Amino acid sequence: MSLLEASGITLTARLGEVTVDVLRDISFTLERGETLGLVGESGAGKSMIGRLCSQLLPPGFAVSAGTLLFEGEDLVRLGAHRRRALLGKRIAFVPQEPMTALNPVLSIASQFDEHLRRLGVGGRAARRRQAIELLSAVHLPEPGKLLAKYPHELSGGMCQRVLIAMAFAGDPALVVADEPTTALDVITQARIMALIKEMQALHRTAVVLITHDLRLAAHVCDRVLVMYAGDIVEQGEAKTLLVEPKHPYTRSLQRANPNLTGPRRRLPTLPDHMPGLAEFGRLPGCRFAPRCPVRAEACERSVPALVALTPDHHVRCVEACAAGTDEAAAETAPPAPLAAHGESEALVALESVSRRFTTRATWLGAPHVVDAVREVDLTVRPGEFVGIVGESGSGKTTVARMIAGLDHPTDGRLLVRGHESSARDEASRRERLETLQMVFQDPQSALNPRRTVLTLLTQAMEADRRRHRISERGARAAHLLREIGMAAESARRYPSQLSGGQRQRVNIGRALCVAPRLLVADEIVSGLDVSVQAQILNLLLRLREELSISLLLISHDLSVVRYVCSRVLVMQAGRVVESGSTDAVFEAPKHPYTRALLAAVPPDDPAMPWPPGVDEALPE
């Protein structure tokens, strides 16, 4: 008997007076020790399948047909008491947004203690010992000291590792991981994936991995379901789907991923956007048809059947589409030139900048000095795209915060357009506002939940009362929504009504509202699926061509940095350990830390082994 078996699941949601099918005819099996990947854009239904497996459906959603058997029990029809007994013990869940999943007013120790007490671990001392063991297993440094900290004192990647440690605390049979590596740097991502594989080998734990990264899924999953607007459009062996995708949507996802090796090429993008729930009822046939480059008349009349190409490979598509006739849709022209415009004055310059933090740690009884940034030199010129890469805690975000005026150097000089800048000086603040805008890593906390998308996108216009008219703001918001690939109807929504990827797009659009000369982007595409990521990256390249906009890109994704940046700085423990042109650094890295970063990236070829072992080529 399979550990998990879905058969003909249809999930409905009530939207006013209308009921729509959120998931249609979902069937799959998952064996013990197996990893099943769910791939697709934001809104495709991946997370809804994960919520269904972990019994965390939002209000108003209900299963109208089908069964979902877990160890022989139908999760759809379980009573509340039995459901609570399973969750956290036999079924564990790793949520997508670690910074908001942890309680901000409780220490990590308190949250671990509460979780382990629910799992039946007796005694506070025993729970603390187990918490330290679990945090060590996910390679968090000094776990005993970390327990005394609060979530806001940890990076996003560290919070994610805390949640993963909690998920495996009860030795579950099934772990549902919703984008578990989105906020992680490449080394930590490789460590987490290696850790999950170890756990599976030891405990035969099954994993449902929800991800937007088809390349990652090809390396860590046994089988993959490709989702679009609530339908399974393709399913099969993971490596086969990356190398030989048959559905035009899967091929679009595969080509939209930037590569770390080989020739640089312009990323093709899908037209329009993923339909929202309100549009589902108006799409009687294939829901991908409006965006499909090879759609046929038959696609719009009825839902195509899920056809078996081989016993292990199924496609929901008409024969002409599955034959691979849309290859001409791929754009192969190289991206725009990436060099800076001449020797013009730098927009931002850092000269031997250092930043030290002093904290009073109660367990030491004395102030504790942390060198977050040490003697960093950096310039960004008009039209130049510069990337900063490194692990979480390497100092990348601290550099960005100092440039944006949200922090100030302890030593060294920071110049904005040739003038020495101070975070506390009003004139410096005005010059920064005219020069740069910052996009923050976590859109959930960066967007005011009480504002509509229209007012969020045009928030910068409120400083100029002549441009504060709602008609002018509406026109500007409509333009920005088109630029970031969102539907016009999104202008009336609130952040809570958007997916994680949509919130990030709003976050980016808001920063672009006043056309800044420099965009400081902290993990600008880390929460986006690959198709929207390609839209945003191509948008940035176009803005550079048209407006000579500059970009300082902080990213964990080395493939993204290679695609858009002409120069890269590699940071480790607050220092720049290697810098130079992106191609030179990535093709022939000189520093062992840079080589370790590159080794941690999932290879373009799924036949190559990945992830490396936890202790193989991955520095502590």
Side-chain angles (χ1 to χ4, degrees), residues 53-299:
C53 295
S54 52
Q55 291 296 284
L56 295 172
L57 288 176
F61 288 70
V63 175
S64 61
T67 59
L68 182 63
L69 302 181
F70 174 73
E71 295 184 325
E73 294 184 272
D74 191 353
L75 295 178
V76 174
R77 293 162 181 83
L78 278 185
H81 178 75
R82 180 57 181 158
R83 185 182 299 119
R84 283 193 298 270
L86 287 175
L87 293 181
K89 298 178 182 178
R90 299 299 294 159
I91 301 175
F93 183 70
V94 180
Q96 181 178 0
E97 296 177 342
M99 302 297 284
T100 56
L102 293 169
N103 191 327
V105 301
L106 294 179
S107 67
I108 302 301
S110 298
Q111 297 186 61
F112 250 109
D113 189 77
E114 179 182 344
H115 181 62
L116 293 175
R117 188 168 63 247
R118 182 177 179 274
L119 294 178
V121 179
R124 182 178 292 273
R127 292 194 291 269
R128 179 177 175 82
R129 284 195 301 271
Q130 185 166 341
I132 290 174
E133 290 174 4
L134 289 164
L135 292 175
S136 297
V138 294
H139 305 281
L140 280 167
E142 301 183 298
K145 295 179 181 180
L146 186 143
L147 284 172
K149 295 187 177 182
Y150 289 81
H152 72 272
E153 298 179 283
L154 308 180
S155 69
M158 294 173 78
C159 286
Q160 188 65 287
R161 279 182 277 178
V162 168
L163 289 170
I164 291 170
M166 287 183 173
F168 280 98
D171 193 17
L174 172 65
V175 171
V176 179
D178 190 353
E179 302 280 4
T181 60
T182 294
L184 304 184
D185 57 78
V186 290
I187 285 180
T188 306
Q189 171 180 266
R191 285 189 176 277
I192 293 302
M193 290 293 106
L195 173 66
I196 290 175
K197 291 172 76 74
E198 288 176 6
M199 293 288 191
Q200 288 178 290
L202 185 62
H203 304 290
R204 297 190 69 203
T205 303
V207 174
V208 174
L209 178 65
I210 299 165
T211 179
H212 58 256
D213 190 340
L214 186 58
R215 185 188 300 147
L216 174 68
H219 282 281
V220 301
C221 297
D222 299 293
R223 290 181 298 113
V224 167
L225 306 183
V226 181
M227 300 289 301
Y228 186 85
D231 291 333
I232 296 175
V233 296
E234 188 165 3
Q235 63 180 357
E237 198 266 335
K239 289 178 171 55
T240 299
L241 261 63
L242 181 65
V243 176
E244 299 179 3
K246 297 301 182 183
H247 195 280
Y249 179 62
T250 312
R251 288 199 293 269
S252 297
L253 293 180
Q254 194 263 0
R255 289 197 299 258
N257 231 339
N259 56 350
L260 192 59
T261 57
R264 190 185 283 111
R265 58 183 175 81
R266 175 77 70 175
L267 298 178
T269 58
L270 283 168
D272 208 1
H273 60 279
M274 173 77 69
L277 290 182
E279 301 173 84
F280 280 13
R282 300 195 294 268
L283 299 170
C286 174
R287 288 174 173 172
F288 182 61
R291 305 174 71 190
C292 182
V294 291
R295 62 183 176 272
E297 190 176 328
C299 300

Side-chain angles (χ1 to χ4, degrees), residues 534-553:
Q535 286 182 359
I536 296 300
L537 296 179
N538 288 340
L539 168 64
L540 291 171
L541 289 173
R542 181 170 61 78
L543 291 173
R544 179 192 180 280
E545 294 171 1
E546 295 176 357
L547 305 175
S548 294
I549 192 171
S550 301
L551 177 72
L552 180 64
L553 177 65

